[in-house]
mmCIF file of all heavy atoms in Angstrom:
data_model
loop_
_atom_site.group_PDB
_atom_site.id
_atom_site.type_symbol
_atom_site.label_atom_id
_atom_site.label_comp_id
_atom_site.label_asym_id
_atom_site.label_seq_id
_atom_site.Cartn_x
_atom_site.Cartn_y
_atom_site.Cartn_z
ATOM 1 N N VAL A 185 70.494 210.803 135.711
ATOM 2 C CA VAL A 185 70.798 209.481 135.136
ATOM 3 C C VAL A 185 72.273 209.130 135.333
ATOM 4 O O VAL A 185 72.614 207.986 135.656
ATOM 5 C CB VAL A 185 70.435 209.435 133.641
ATOM 6 C CG1 VAL A 185 70.930 208.149 133.000
ATOM 7 C CG2 VAL A 185 68.936 209.540 133.452
ATOM 8 N N LYS A 186 73.134 210.119 135.164
ATOM 9 C CA LYS A 186 74.569 209.871 135.347
ATOM 10 C C LYS A 186 74.856 209.434 136.774
ATOM 11 O O LYS A 186 75.627 208.495 137.014
ATOM 12 C CB LYS A 186 75.378 211.121 135.002
ATOM 13 C CG LYS A 186 76.887 210.900 135.057
ATOM 14 C CD LYS A 186 77.639 212.133 134.583
ATOM 15 C CE LYS A 186 79.147 211.893 134.619
ATOM 16 N NZ LYS A 186 79.895 213.094 134.164
ATOM 17 N N ALA A 187 74.230 210.087 137.749
ATOM 18 C CA ALA A 187 74.438 209.712 139.148
ATOM 19 C C ALA A 187 73.919 208.304 139.416
ATOM 20 O O ALA A 187 74.560 207.519 140.128
ATOM 21 C CB ALA A 187 73.747 210.720 140.068
ATOM 22 N N ILE A 188 72.760 207.981 138.846
ATOM 23 C CA ILE A 188 72.213 206.628 139.018
ATOM 24 C C ILE A 188 73.139 205.603 138.380
ATOM 25 O O ILE A 188 73.420 204.549 138.966
ATOM 26 C CB ILE A 188 70.787 206.552 138.430
ATOM 27 C CG1 ILE A 188 69.811 207.373 139.285
ATOM 28 C CG2 ILE A 188 70.318 205.098 138.331
ATOM 29 C CD1 ILE A 188 68.411 207.500 138.688
ATOM 30 N N ALA A 189 73.627 205.900 137.179
ATOM 31 C CA ALA A 189 74.524 204.977 136.478
ATOM 32 C C ALA A 189 75.825 204.762 137.257
ATOM 33 O O ALA A 189 76.403 203.666 137.234
ATOM 34 C CB ALA A 189 74.829 205.507 135.080
ATOM 35 N N ASN A 190 76.275 205.806 137.959
ATOM 36 C CA ASN A 190 77.499 205.708 138.766
ATOM 37 C C ASN A 190 77.229 205.095 140.137
ATOM 38 O O ASN A 190 78.138 204.988 140.958
ATOM 39 C CB ASN A 190 78.128 207.086 138.942
ATOM 40 C CG ASN A 190 78.743 207.622 137.657
ATOM 41 O OD1 ASN A 190 79.072 206.855 136.758
ATOM 42 N ND2 ASN A 190 78.872 208.931 137.560
ATOM 43 N N ARG A 191 75.965 204.734 140.392
ATOM 44 C CA ARG A 191 75.543 204.136 141.670
ATOM 45 C C ARG A 191 75.821 205.082 142.840
ATOM 46 O O ARG A 191 76.089 204.635 143.962
ATOM 47 C CB ARG A 191 76.243 202.794 141.902
ATOM 48 C CG ARG A 191 76.072 201.778 140.785
ATOM 49 C CD ARG A 191 74.615 201.382 140.617
ATOM 50 N NE ARG A 191 74.427 200.365 139.572
ATOM 51 C CZ ARG A 191 73.253 199.858 139.230
ATOM 52 N NH1 ARG A 191 72.152 200.267 139.849
ATOM 53 N NH2 ARG A 191 73.153 198.952 138.286
ATOM 54 N N ASP A 192 75.741 206.379 142.560
ATOM 55 C CA ASP A 192 75.944 207.396 143.595
ATOM 56 C C ASP A 192 74.584 207.787 144.151
ATOM 57 O O ASP A 192 73.941 208.733 143.685
ATOM 58 C CB ASP A 192 76.669 208.612 143.003
ATOM 59 C CG ASP A 192 77.134 209.594 144.071
ATOM 60 O OD1 ASP A 192 76.504 209.638 145.153
ATOM 61 O OD2 ASP A 192 78.107 210.332 143.817
ATOM 62 N N ALA A 193 74.117 207.042 145.141
ATOM 63 C CA ALA A 193 72.765 207.212 145.666
ATOM 64 C C ALA A 193 72.563 208.583 146.294
ATOM 65 O O ALA A 193 71.518 209.218 146.115
ATOM 66 C CB ALA A 193 72.465 206.118 146.691
ATOM 67 N N GLU A 194 73.561 209.062 147.027
ATOM 68 C CA GLU A 194 73.436 210.355 147.696
ATOM 69 C C GLU A 194 73.306 211.484 146.682
ATOM 70 O O GLU A 194 72.457 212.377 146.825
ATOM 71 C CB GLU A 194 74.645 210.590 148.602
ATOM 72 C CG GLU A 194 74.554 211.866 149.415
ATOM 73 C CD GLU A 194 75.702 212.021 150.393
ATOM 74 O OE1 GLU A 194 76.501 211.070 150.547
ATOM 75 O OE2 GLU A 194 75.800 213.091 151.014
ATOM 76 N N LEU A 195 74.130 211.450 145.650
ATOM 77 C CA LEU A 195 74.068 212.495 144.619
ATOM 78 C C LEU A 195 72.760 212.413 143.840
ATOM 79 O O LEU A 195 72.148 213.442 143.532
ATOM 80 C CB LEU A 195 75.254 212.367 143.666
ATOM 81 C CG LEU A 195 75.324 213.409 142.546
ATOM 82 C CD1 LEU A 195 75.397 214.824 143.106
ATOM 83 C CD2 LEU A 195 76.520 213.119 141.623
ATOM 84 N N ALA A 196 72.322 211.199 143.517
ATOM 85 C CA ALA A 196 71.070 211.032 142.776
ATOM 86 C C ALA A 196 69.909 211.643 143.544
ATOM 87 O O ALA A 196 69.059 212.335 142.966
ATOM 88 C CB ALA A 196 70.808 209.550 142.505
ATOM 89 N N GLU A 197 69.869 211.410 144.853
ATOM 90 C CA GLU A 197 68.795 211.982 145.666
ATOM 91 C C GLU A 197 68.876 213.506 145.690
ATOM 92 O O GLU A 197 67.854 214.192 145.525
ATOM 93 C CB GLU A 197 68.852 211.448 147.096
ATOM 94 C CG GLU A 197 67.773 212.064 147.977
ATOM 95 C CD GLU A 197 67.681 211.444 149.358
ATOM 96 O OE1 GLU A 197 68.556 210.613 149.718
ATOM 97 O OE2 GLU A 197 66.725 211.791 150.087
ATOM 98 N N MET A 198 70.060 214.042 145.877
ATOM 99 C CA MET A 198 70.222 215.492 145.935
ATOM 100 C C MET A 198 69.812 216.157 144.634
ATOM 101 O O MET A 198 69.101 217.166 144.620
ATOM 102 C CB MET A 198 71.670 215.852 146.250
ATOM 103 C CG MET A 198 71.905 217.350 146.429
ATOM 104 S SD MET A 198 73.652 217.799 146.415
ATOM 105 C CE MET A 198 74.023 217.671 144.656
ATOM 106 N N LEU A 199 70.226 215.563 143.509
ATOM 107 C CA LEU A 199 69.901 216.136 142.200
ATOM 108 C C LEU A 199 68.407 216.064 141.915
ATOM 109 O O LEU A 199 67.829 216.988 141.340
ATOM 110 C CB LEU A 199 70.687 215.417 141.103
ATOM 111 C CG LEU A 199 72.199 215.654 141.085
ATOM 112 C CD1 LEU A 199 72.866 214.766 140.046
ATOM 113 C CD2 LEU A 199 72.530 217.119 140.809
ATOM 114 N N MET A 200 67.770 214.965 142.316
ATOM 115 C CA MET A 200 66.332 214.845 142.092
ATOM 116 C C MET A 200 65.565 215.852 142.940
ATOM 117 O O MET A 200 64.635 216.506 142.452
ATOM 118 C CB MET A 200 65.863 213.423 142.412
ATOM 119 C CG MET A 200 64.357 213.211 142.195
ATOM 120 S SD MET A 200 63.829 213.459 140.481
ATOM 121 C CE MET A 200 64.238 211.834 139.801
ATOM 122 N N ARG A 201 65.956 216.008 144.194
ATOM 123 C CA ARG A 201 65.272 216.966 145.058
ATOM 124 C C ARG A 201 65.415 218.383 144.507
ATOM 125 O O ARG A 201 64.458 219.159 144.494
ATOM 126 C CB ARG A 201 65.819 216.884 146.483
ATOM 127 C CG ARG A 201 65.470 215.577 147.200
ATOM 128 C CD ARG A 201 66.030 215.553 148.616
ATOM 129 N NE ARG A 201 65.299 216.493 149.452
ATOM 130 C CZ ARG A 201 64.546 216.138 150.492
ATOM 131 N NH1 ARG A 201 64.406 214.856 150.814
ATOM 132 N NH2 ARG A 201 63.927 217.041 151.214
ATOM 133 N N ARG A 202 66.613 218.713 144.042
ATOM 134 C CA ARG A 202 66.850 220.039 143.474
ATOM 135 C C ARG A 202 66.036 220.234 142.197
ATOM 136 O O ARG A 202 65.451 221.296 141.972
ATOM 137 C CB ARG A 202 68.348 220.208 143.191
ATOM 138 C CG ARG A 202 68.737 221.594 142.717
ATOM 139 C CD ARG A 202 70.231 221.659 142.450
ATOM 140 N NE ARG A 202 71.015 221.417 143.663
ATOM 141 C CZ ARG A 202 72.330 221.202 143.659
ATOM 142 N NH1 ARG A 202 72.984 221.142 142.511
ATOM 143 N NH2 ARG A 202 72.966 221.026 144.783
ATOM 144 N N HIS A 203 65.960 219.201 141.363
ATOM 145 C CA HIS A 203 65.203 219.251 140.112
ATOM 146 C C HIS A 203 63.723 219.525 140.385
ATOM 147 O O HIS A 203 63.096 220.354 139.719
ATOM 148 C CB HIS A 203 65.371 217.915 139.385
ATOM 149 C CG HIS A 203 64.450 217.691 138.231
ATOM 150 N ND1 HIS A 203 64.472 218.468 137.095
ATOM 151 C CD2 HIS A 203 63.466 216.770 138.037
ATOM 152 C CE1 HIS A 203 63.539 218.037 136.249
ATOM 153 N NE2 HIS A 203 62.920 217.017 136.802
ATOM 154 N N ILE A 204 63.172 218.859 141.377
ATOM 155 C CA ILE A 204 61.757 219.051 141.696
ATOM 156 C C ILE A 204 61.520 220.429 142.306
ATOM 157 O O ILE A 204 60.501 221.075 142.030
ATOM 158 C CB ILE A 204 61.263 217.914 142.606
ATOM 159 C CG1 ILE A 204 61.218 216.612 141.800
ATOM 160 C CG2 ILE A 204 59.888 218.218 143.195
ATOM 161 C CD1 ILE A 204 61.010 215.366 142.596
ATOM 162 N N LEU A 205 62.460 220.916 143.106
ATOM 163 C CA LEU A 205 62.356 222.271 143.648
ATOM 164 C C LEU A 205 62.325 223.306 142.528
ATOM 165 O O LEU A 205 61.504 224.232 142.536
ATOM 166 C CB LEU A 205 63.524 222.548 144.592
ATOM 167 C CG LEU A 205 63.607 223.967 145.161
ATOM 168 C CD1 LEU A 205 62.396 224.286 146.021
ATOM 169 C CD2 LEU A 205 64.898 224.142 145.963
ATOM 170 N N TYR A 206 63.206 223.148 141.537
ATOM 171 C CA TYR A 206 63.234 224.083 140.411
ATOM 172 C C TYR A 206 61.930 224.022 139.618
ATOM 173 O O TYR A 206 61.416 225.045 139.173
ATOM 174 C CB TYR A 206 64.409 223.764 139.480
ATOM 175 C CG TYR A 206 65.772 224.016 140.068
ATOM 176 C CD1 TYR A 206 66.909 223.417 139.525
ATOM 177 C CD2 TYR A 206 65.943 224.851 141.164
ATOM 178 C CE1 TYR A 206 68.170 223.644 140.057
ATOM 179 C CE2 TYR A 206 67.205 225.070 141.711
ATOM 180 C CZ TYR A 206 68.313 224.463 141.148
ATOM 181 O OH TYR A 206 69.551 224.684 141.678
ATOM 182 N N SER A 207 61.396 222.814 139.458
ATOM 183 C CA SER A 207 60.130 222.650 138.738
ATOM 184 C C SER A 207 58.991 223.335 139.486
ATOM 185 O O SER A 207 58.130 223.986 138.879
ATOM 186 C CB SER A 207 59.811 221.170 138.544
ATOM 187 O OG SER A 207 60.775 220.541 137.726
ATOM 188 N N LYS A 208 58.995 223.180 140.804
ATOM 189 C CA LYS A 208 57.976 223.839 141.628
ATOM 190 C C LYS A 208 58.059 225.351 141.484
ATOM 191 O O LYS A 208 57.043 226.036 141.312
ATOM 192 C CB LYS A 208 58.148 223.435 143.088
ATOM 193 C CG LYS A 208 57.043 223.939 144.017
ATOM 194 C CD LYS A 208 57.395 225.238 144.701
ATOM 195 C CE LYS A 208 58.516 225.060 145.705
ATOM 196 N NZ LYS A 208 58.863 226.327 146.386
ATOM 197 N N ASN A 209 59.276 225.895 141.525
ATOM 198 C CA ASN A 209 59.464 227.340 141.392
ATOM 199 C C ASN A 209 58.954 227.847 140.033
ATOM 200 O O ASN A 209 58.356 228.922 139.935
ATOM 201 C CB ASN A 209 60.916 227.714 141.577
ATOM 202 C CG ASN A 209 61.402 227.523 143.001
ATOM 203 O OD1 ASN A 209 60.599 227.411 143.924
ATOM 204 N ND2 ASN A 209 62.711 227.434 143.190
ATOM 205 N N ASN A 210 59.180 227.032 138.991
ATOM 206 C CA ASN A 210 58.749 227.403 137.648
ATOM 207 C C ASN A 210 57.229 227.492 137.565
ATOM 208 O O ASN A 210 56.665 228.435 136.991
ATOM 209 C CB ASN A 210 59.268 226.375 136.640
ATOM 210 C CG ASN A 210 58.789 226.642 135.219
ATOM 211 O OD1 ASN A 210 59.160 227.641 134.615
ATOM 212 N ND2 ASN A 210 57.972 225.762 134.697
ATOM 213 N N ILE A 211 56.551 226.518 138.157
ATOM 214 C CA ILE A 211 55.087 226.509 138.141
ATOM 215 C C ILE A 211 54.526 227.610 139.058
ATOM 216 O O ILE A 211 53.546 228.260 138.722
ATOM 217 C CB ILE A 211 54.548 225.137 138.572
ATOM 218 C CG1 ILE A 211 54.938 224.070 137.535
ATOM 219 C CG2 ILE A 211 53.038 225.152 138.746
ATOM 220 C CD1 ILE A 211 54.615 222.641 137.948
ATOM 221 N N GLN A 212 55.189 227.807 140.171
ATOM 222 C CA GLN A 212 54.710 228.774 141.167
ATOM 223 C C GLN A 212 54.601 230.169 140.584
ATOM 224 O O GLN A 212 53.675 230.913 140.891
ATOM 225 C CB GLN A 212 55.650 228.765 142.371
ATOM 226 C CG GLN A 212 55.099 229.418 143.614
ATOM 227 C CD GLN A 212 55.972 229.122 144.816
ATOM 228 O OE1 GLN A 212 57.189 229.029 144.716
ATOM 229 N NE2 GLN A 212 55.343 228.934 145.962
#
C-alpha cells in the first residue's frame, strides 16, 4: 500500500510478486 500511495509502480509490482511467492511457499 505504501508503494502504491507513493506511486512507485516498479516497487509495488516487486513487492506484490514477492508477497505471492511467500504465500505460495507457505501453502506448499
Side-chain angles (χ1 to χ4, degrees):
V185 172
K186 185 175 181 180
I188 291 173
N190 289 338
R191 305 297 182 180
D192 190 333
E194 184 175 353
L195 181 59
E197 178 173 8
M198 184 193 75
L199 291 174
M200 180 62 83
R201 292 180 70 115
R202 185 181 298 168
H203 168 64
I204 290 169
L205 176 63
Y206 292 161
S207 296
K208 187 265 292 180
N209 291 343
N210 176 66
I211 294 172
Q212 196 169 35

